[in-house]
Amino acid sequence: TVSVTTLNMVYKRTVTFTVTPNAVPSSAVTVSLSTSIGGISGQTITLPAGSMTPVVVTVVCTNNAAASGAISLGAASSSDALFNGLMPTVTSISVTVLAVEITVSTGTVSSIYGRHFGFTVTPTVAPTSAVTITLSPPTGVVLINSNVITLPAGSSSPVTVPFYININSAASYTLLIPLASSSDSAFNL
């Protein structure tokens, strides 16, 4: 038996499922995996002889792009005739991969001298540890709280970045948003 029919995955994060025989095989049983999604490698599951212990299968996506597809499980192969050629209870696991991105709510903000404005920064999935983004605002743009945006661990809620303009003349400014830094490798982009 296979423990799942669907998997939701995130770039660089591992997910697991189990495969369990419903009887004790007299010799090892192998089941092959294949996938239609790039970045998830196929592998072979081996159920050991003399055991009904579940085998944990770990898969990871190395492609940072939203995708959907399936992991297919093939027929079992074994010198135990009871298992040889047997199809798993689940032959296709539906897979959805979420891209890891940090989105900014706006590309352009029109602001007036002295007035507070803001934009939001949002991760598409919750990071496992805090993500920091250090900004270097140009002269004239003042970030109110800090020059560091922190996306908290365990949350995919937007973080608001308030700012104001402290030069009383018409001008255009560009605020570059650099790469993120985190011990969550999925967000170390």
Side-chain angles (χ1 to χ4, degrees):
T1 57
V2 179
S3 64
V4 298
T5 56
T6 62
L7 286 175
N8 292 316
M9 301 183 72
V10 175
Y11 173 59
K12 289 190 180 178
R13 305 259 172 86
T14 59
V15 294
T16 61
F17 61 93
T18 59
V19 178
T20 311
N22 62 358
V24 177
S26 60
S27 61
V29 177
T30 59
V31 177
S32 63
L33 296 182
S34 60
T35 180
S36 60
I37 299 177
I40 301 174
S41 59
Q43 58 182 296
T44 300
I45 304 163
T46 301
L47 306 173
S51 175
M52 287 180 56
T53 302
V55 172
V56 177
V57 181
T58 301
V59 289
V60 61
C61 181
T62 58
N63 184 12
N64 185 21
S68 61
I71 294 174
S72 300
L73 288 84
S77 174
S78 177
S79 58
D80 182 335
L82 181 65
F83 285 91
N84 194 43
L86 188 66
M87 291 301 292
T89 55
V90 175
T91 57
S92 182
I93 299 170
S94 175
V95 177
T96 300
V97 177
L98 299 176
V100 174
E101 297 173 333
I102 297 172
T103 59
V104 179
S105 61
T106 183
T108 303
V109 177
S110 295
S111 60
I112 299 170
Y113 166 69
R115 298 249 178 100
H116 288 194
F117 291 85
F119 58 92
T120 60
V121 178
T122 311
T124 55
V125 296
T128 59
S129 59
V131 178
T132 59
I133 302 168
T134 302
L135 302 177
S136 298
T139 300
V141 176
V142 178
L143 298 174
I144 294 169
N145 296 326
S146 168
N147 287 358
V148 177
I149 303 168
T150 301
L151 305 176
S155 174
S156 58
S157 297
V159 171
T160 300
V161 182
F163 71 95
Y164 67 92
I165 303 299
N166 71 354
I167 295 177
N168 190 12
S169 62
S172 294
Y173 305 97
T174 300
L175 180 60
L176 299 177
I177 300 182
L179 299 178
S181 174
S182 176
S183 60
D184 179 343
S185 64
F187 280 89
N188 227 0
L189 303 172

